[in-house]
Each structure stands twice: as structure tokens, then as C-alpha cells.
Amino acid sequence: MRKLLVDWFSGAARDLPWRRVPSPYRVWVSEIMCQQTQIATVLPYFERFLARYPDATALAKADENELMRMWEGLGYYRRARSMHAAAKQIVADHDGEFPLNYDHAIKLPGIGRYTVGAILSISANQPVPILEGNTLRVFSRLIGLRAAVDEKPSQDVLWKFAEGLLPRKSVPDRTRGPAAINQAAMELGALICTPREPKCLICPLAKCCVAHARGWQAEIPAKTNKIAYEPRSEFAALVSDPSGRWLVRQIPAGSRFAGMWDFPKAGPPEAHTLDEFAQWLATQAGGRWTIGEQMTSMKHAVTRYRITLHVHHATRRGSRPPAPWSFHSADELKHLPMSTTGRRLLDRLTKQNLITPSN
DNA sequence: AAAACGGGGAC
DNA sequence: GTCCCAGTTTT
């Protein structure tokens, strides 16, 4: 199976930037960016990130705002904050070099069992197993695992399989060793053993695959918990000062979108209705508020929530709003990290102002 | 064990 | 719409 995999991989591997130069730092960055994110989405971010932060030392010194701005749009922003903290730890404890030691690496924030295996195997050819979306699908189909893959016994079986797939004796040739085997298994999941309509006809492992033999491809991997999507409404207020700057705040640490800048915005449990939103605004930013007409609405998704954001013009009377609230021009906000909806909103406002100059 | 965490691509 | 994506951390 190992030979079939690496032979197929040598001809089918996609040309990815972190494969050209698989240094520990570059593989680390790629692995974090790729978590729950498709490769195509990551590519432009990766190049830009590496140019700005070429090594752990540079990343450790990064400015928070700039770092979040580099990550803006990738989502799961804790990944960026964890990387920043890990980079500082690497400078402090490991002389600025990513530790190629399992026990040290897995202690770094944001690095779990999958990521440590990926980094050590891909960058250093160490025999450490991996299990993620692709290999989970490949392995569960190969062995015909019909139990739900997210249950503990299934996870144990799959991790064991991942471990058994790696050679017992060291294979220094990284085109045939753990580096190639782990990447080949993932690549097979991404290109051949796809969630829907897997390409079994051209799969190098078809002859060893239980799911293929019994026609179980559509049932495996089996999942227990279906995602229960939940619709919800959120509200945003657009308030400008006499010089056309917008009322915004930097979201405090610990909450969703921590560190990102945004317009006044709230949803459940703080605000279920426009009236509750107005009350929330008064308690948060002070002053006397009047909610005006709706400017637009935007639909977007945050994890299992399907959100409709109602955007209203608003006026606020009173003294200067307390921290963290402040007025910033669109120009200033251009360089600050914002959520994707915040950025989209700002873009629309900027374009509108080009046509009809601000009040 | 389940929920939270973002956003986009594919169908 | 629904599912999925080179998962980790918190509850």
C-alpha cells in the first residue's frame, strides 16, 4: 500500500509552495492556514505571509494589528493569535527554530495531534502519523469502517491505521518515507477519494479498498452529528461624525473576532430586536441613540449560524464615546483588521461616498 | 462528547 | 440550501 501510494504521488502531487521548500517553519505556517480551509483559499495568503514573516523570529516580533490584517478573510482568527504566541515561545525556548521534537512541538499553542504529525513528517521525514479530513475519509473507506468516524473507538482504529501505514524502519529517502506517505494519503483524499463521487476507477488503492469492493463509498465515512443550522438576526449601526469618520471599536480579547475592528454590532443574546439593539448601544457606547432607516442587509455564515445582518443608519447624541469606541476614517480602517462583513460594509460605504459625498 | 470557531468553494 | 475543508480548544 505504501508503494502504491508513493508511486502514485510522485506523478500526481500538486505543485504547492510549501512543497517546493518544506522547511519546518514553512510547513508549520501552511498547516495552520490549511486547517478547515481549502488549499486554493490559502495560496495567496501563504505567499504574502511568508514574504512578511520569513521566519519564527520575524513572526514573534509581528505587530498584532498587522498580523490580523494579514489573516483577514481566512477565518478562525485564533489560529493567527496562537501562531504569534507560539513564535514567541519558539524564540524564547528553541532559539528561534521550530522544535522537531514531538513533545516540544505539541506543547505549542494551536498545534494538536494532527499538526505536529504533519510538520514532523513532512518537514523532517519523521514517522509520525496524521489524521485529518482527507486521510480520515481514505482510511475509513479502505478498511470499510461503517461506524461513525467521530466516535472514540473509530478514531482509535483510524489513528492506529495511520500509524501502521508508516514504515517501521527509517526510510531516509523523503520521496518514499513518511513525508511522502502522509502527503500521498492526503493528496489521494483531496484528488481521488473525494467526499462525493470518488474516482475509484483511477485510484491506486482500489484493489485494497473494502468500500470499493462492496460499494460503500457513499456511506463511508459515516457521521453521527448532522450540523443543525440556525438562522439568526444581527444588527449593525452606521454612525458618522461631522468629518465623515465612522464609529467603530476594536473587539476585546476573549470574544468572537477578538482584535478585529468593527462597526457597532450585536445579535443574540445581547439583541434580538432593533429595540434591544438600541438599548445595547446606549449601555455600551453611552449617549442618546436614534436608529434610522435600514441601509442594507447582508447574509453570511458563522460556524453553524446563518446570519442576516441588518444594517441601519443611526445618530448618537452625547459626549465623546468611551473606549474602546472611537471614530475612524475609511482610510485609517483600510490598514486595520476587520471581519469580512465589516470590510464589505466599509467598501460599500466608500463607494457610496464617491457618488454622493457624505452628509 | 459536544460546541465554538469563519469563510468560501462545490454541487 | 447543504456539505465540506491539511483541526484545535473550550465547555
Side-chain angles (χ1 to χ4, degrees), chain A residues 39 43 65 70 93 114 140 160 192 224 242 279 281 295-296 314 321 343 347 357:
Chain A
I39 302 296
L43 291 175
N65 274 332
M70 300 285 285
D93 302 343
Y114 161 75
S140 58
K160 268 284 181 241
I192 306 289
T224 43
Q279 286 178 26
L281 288 167
M295 177 249 178
T296 186
R343 182 70 62 194
D347 285 347

Side-chain angles (χ1 to χ4, degrees), chain A residues 224-244:
Chain A
T224 43
N225 58 335
K226 293 242 182 282
I227 305 169
Y229 293 105
E230 186 181 320
R232 63 190 277 180
S233 289
E234 293 184 354
F235 306 92
L238 299 173
V239 183
S240 55
D241 72 358
S243 39

Side-chain angles (χ1 to χ4, degrees), chain A residues 182-327:
Chain A
N182 280 347
Q183 290 186 87
M186 284 194 283
E187 198 81 336
L188 193 72
L191 302 181
I192 306 289
C193 195
T194 48
R196 282 171 297 238
E197 299 184 38
K199 301 167 182 62
C200 303
L201 280 175
I202 56 170
C203 178
L205 299 188
K207 59 173 178 284
C208 338
C209 180
V210 175
H212 176 245
R214 309 202 182 170
W216 290 347
Q217 297 94 320
E219 285 72 48
I220 299 176
K223 305 263 165 84
T224 43
N225 58 335
K226 293 242 182 282
I227 305 169
Y229 293 105
E230 186 181 320
R232 63 190 277 180
S233 289
E234 293 184 354
F235 306 92
L238 299 173
V239 183
S240 55
D241 72 358
S243 39
R245 299 177 302 177
W246 300 102
L247 180 64
V248 293
R249 66 162 173 168
Q250 188 172 27
I251 297 174
S255 24
R256 199 165 69 201
F257 295 112
M260 315 285 283
W261 293 75
D262 208 353
F263 298 96
K265 188 166 92 181
E270 287 78 20
H272 303 80
T273 64
L274 206 53
D275 281 344
E276 287 182 7
F277 180 50
Q279 286 178 26
W280 179 83
L281 288 167
T283 55
Q284 290 297 304
R288 295 160 52 84
W289 285 78
T290 311
I291 307 288
E293 65 174 307
Q294 177 158 325
M295 177 249 178
T296 186
S297 75
M298 300 168 58
K299 288 183 184 297
H300 69 114
V302 176
T303 63
R304 68 189 185 86
Y305 300 102
R306 296 295 172 265
I307 301 168
T308 306
L309 178 65
H310 303 276
V311 183
H312 284 256
H313 293 289
T315 55
R316 177 187 174 282
R317 302 182 60 182
S319 50
R320 225 160 59 89
W325 300 96
S326 57
F327 286 96

Side-chain angles (χ1 to χ4, degrees), chain A residues 13 16 29 60 74 78 106 108 113 134 152 169 179 181 191 227 233 245 247 262 279 290 296 316 320 326 332 336 341:
Chain A
L16 302 175
V29 174
L74 264 184
R78 187 171 60 188
I106 203 163
L108 297 169
R113 189 174 177 185
N134 287 310
K152 183 74 165 69
K169 287 192 291 186
I181 294 165
L191 302 181
I227 305 169
S233 289
R245 299 177 302 177
L247 180 64
D262 208 353
Q279 286 178 26
T290 311
T296 186
R316 177 187 174 282
R320 225 160 59 89
S326 57
E332 293 170 318
L336 296 174
T341 50

Side-chain angles (χ1 to χ4, degrees), chain A residues 103-165:
Chain A
D103 294 321
H104 290 156
I106 203 163
K107 284 201 180 78
L108 297 169
I111 296 187
R113 189 174 177 185
Y114 161 75
T115 304
V116 66
I119 298 170
L120 295 191
S121 64
I122 295 172
S123 76
N125 203 29
Q126 290 184 28
V128 190
I130 58 164
L131 187 68
E132 39 64 74
N134 287 310
T135 49
L136 176 138
R137 190 168 54 250
V138 171
F139 299 161
S140 58
R141 282 176 176 162
L142 270 175
I143 63 178
L145 181 69
R146 286 197 289 178
V149 290
D150 39 12
E151 287 168 355
K152 183 74 165 69
S154 299
Q155 287 283 310
D156 291 346
V157 165
L158 291 167
W159 274 105
K160 268 284 181 241
F161 187 91
E163 195 182 329
L165 188 62

